[in-house]
Amino acid sequence: MAFTSKDVMDLRQRTGVGMMDCKKALVATDGDMEAAIDYLRERGMAQAAKKESRIAAEGIVYAAGKNGKYVLLEVNCESDFVAGGPVFKEYVAQIANYILDNTTASVEDVTAAMQTVTNEYVMKMGEKLSIRRFTVYESNDSEVDTYIHMGGKIGVMVEASKGASKDVIHDVALQIAAANAQYVTRDEVPASEVEHEKEILKAQALNEDNPKPEAIIEKMMVGRINKFYKDICLVEQPFVKDGDLTIAQYLKNNGNAAIIRFTRYAMGEGLQKREDDFVGEVMAQAGMIK
C-alpha cells in the first residue's frame, strides 16, 4: 500500500511523533495508518490513538428534548463561518424537531424526509449540508440529561436510573465531555479490544531499553491494563471536579445513581476537512491552468 507525504503528516498529527519516525512507521507497515499507529505505540513512541484525533469537518453537535424523548445529533456544513451562524442553527433545530416528532429509523430516513427543507437552506447558505448521525433516548423509567460544550464542538447525552439527581447526571455529562470515556464499566469493553491493548502493552515492555523477564512483564501488565480501564471506563475515571473521587464513588455519595448508557459526539471526528487550493483557484481563474 503506497502512502503520501500527507499520510505522514496525518500520522504525526494523530500520534505527536516526529516526521521521520512517522515515515519509517508507514514504510514498515506498507502505508497502513492503523498498523503504523500500533507500530509506534509498540516502541513507546506514541500514546493510544484517540477516536477523535481527526476532527476535520465543520458543523455542530446539537441536543433537544420533548415529552420524555431526547435526541443528540451532528449536522455538518462546509465552513466554520456558516456553522457559527444563526441560519445554520435554525436548520439544525428543525432537523432535531423532526426526529423528536417522528419515529425515525436511520439518517437516510431523516435525510429523505427533510430533503425539501435541506434544499431551501442550501440555497440560503450556499453550502452542502449533511445530517451525519443522531441518537435518540426515551426516558419512561429513567432520567436523561444532555450537555453541549463550546457551542457544539462536543455533545453528550446520559441516561441514568429513575430518580437520579439532575445535577448529578449533569456532572456525569461534563465528565464524559472532558475525559472521553468509551464505556460505562469494564464489563462493556469488548474482549478483542482488551487483547489488542495487552499485545501493545507487552510489545512496549519488550522494547524498553532494559527489557524485563517474562514473569515480571506479566505482573506489570496487570497494573497497565488497569490503567487502560481507568482511562476508558466512566465509573473508574477520576472525577474532573474532585480528583480524590472516582465517578463510581461520586455516584455512591450522591444517591447511588446508576448510569445506564451515554452517547458522546465530537463534531467532525473521523471526517476529512475539505482542502481549498486557493493558489490553484486563482491561477485557474486567471487562465494560467487549463
Side-chain angles (χ1 to χ4, degrees):
M1 185 188 302
F3 64 90
T4 66
S5 58
K6 185 177 181 303
D7 293 324
V8 179
M9 285 294 297
D10 288 345
L11 183 58
R12 183 180 186 280
Q13 290 174 357
R14 294 181 66 174
T15 63
V17 176
M19 295 287 285
M20 290 305 297
D21 287 320
C22 286
K23 183 177 180 180
K24 288 178 184 177
L26 287 166
V27 169
T29 58
D30 199 24
D32 186 316
M33 183 66 70
E34 297 306 318
I37 293 171
D38 285 349
Y39 176 93
L40 292 170
R41 288 190 62 208
E42 287 170 1
R43 285 150 183 80
M45 299 169 70
Q47 298 300 314
K50 300 296 184 181
K51 290 186 177 179
E52 61 177 38
S53 59
R54 290 188 55 78
I55 299 180
E58 303 301 343
I60 60 172
V61 179
Y62 183 87
K66 65 169 71 170
N67 301 322
K69 185 176 180 181
Y70 298 82
V71 62
L72 183 72
L73 74 157
E74 178 184 350
V75 181
N76 299 120
C77 58
E78 294 184 60
S79 72
D80 185 56
F81 176 77
V82 164
V87 178
F88 181 69
K89 291 175 182 176
E90 177 184 284
Y91 166 69
V92 176
Q94 287 197 42
I95 301 298
N97 283 327
Y98 175 83
I99 294 170
L100 292 171
D101 291 337
N102 294 274
T103 300
T104 53
S106 67
V107 169
E108 290 74 20
D109 289 345
V110 177
T111 299
M114 297 296 289
Q115 194 60 62
T116 299
V117 173
T118 299
N119 290 342
E120 291 174 359
Y121 278 90
V122 167
M123 293 295 292
K124 287 181 182 179
M125 292 179 279
E127 290 193 2
K128 178 181 177 180
L129 305 175
S130 175
I131 304 165
R132 187 187 180 200
R133 54 182 172 170
F134 67 86
T135 298
V136 172
Y137 288 176
E138 296 196 50
S139 60
N140 296 322
D141 296 308
S142 59
E143 306 289 349
V144 174
D145 188 53
T146 61
Y147 170 66
I148 300 297
H149 183 63
M150 294 178 63
K153 296 299 183 184
I154 295 173
V156 175
M157 184 162 61
V158 181
E159 183 177 13
S161 53
K162 190 71 175 178
S165 160
K166 281 288 185 182
D167 289 340
V168 170
I169 307 174
H170 194 67
D171 275 344
V172 172
L174 292 174
Q175 172 79 26
I176 294 164
N180 192 18
Q182 304 296 310
Y183 306 96
V184 178
T185 68
R186 64 172 62 190
D187 292 337
E188 297 177 1
V189 184
S192 59
E193 187 172 339
V194 176
E195 288 306 310
H196 178 70
E197 189 65 19
K198 285 181 178 178
E199 290 173 6
I200 296 293
L201 293 172
K202 188 171 184 178
Q204 285 179 352
L206 290 170
N207 281 306
E208 290 176 354
D209 291 337
N210 296 305
K212 297 173 178 60
E214 189 80 17
I216 300 297
I217 289 176
E218 289 301 321
K219 290 182 180 179
M220 290 170 55
M221 290 284 289
V222 175
R224 292 187 180 186
I225 206 68
N226 281 333
K227 183 181 184 303
F228 165 72
Y229 282 127
K230 187 176 178 180
D231 287 340
I232 67 170
C233 297
L234 173 65
V235 297
E236 299 190 32
Q237 290 181 336
F239 184 29
V240 292
K241 288 188 174 182
D242 183 350
D244 292 331
L245 296 175
T246 64
I247 290 298
Q249 291 167 331
Y250 171 71
L251 292 171
K252 184 177 180 179
N253 295 345
N254 290 274
N256 208 26
I259 302 302
I260 299 168
R261 57 178 172 166
F262 65 85
T263 299
R264 181 187 189 274
Y265 289 162
M267 187 279 297
E269 59 190 344
L271 293 181
Q272 180 69 45
K273 187 175 181 178
R274 184 187 70 186
E275 294 185 2
D276 293 316
D277 181 6
F278 293 112
V279 174
E281 183 179 330
V282 171
M283 292 177 69
Q285 291 176 354
M288 298 173 68
I289 296 178
K290 297 288 187 182

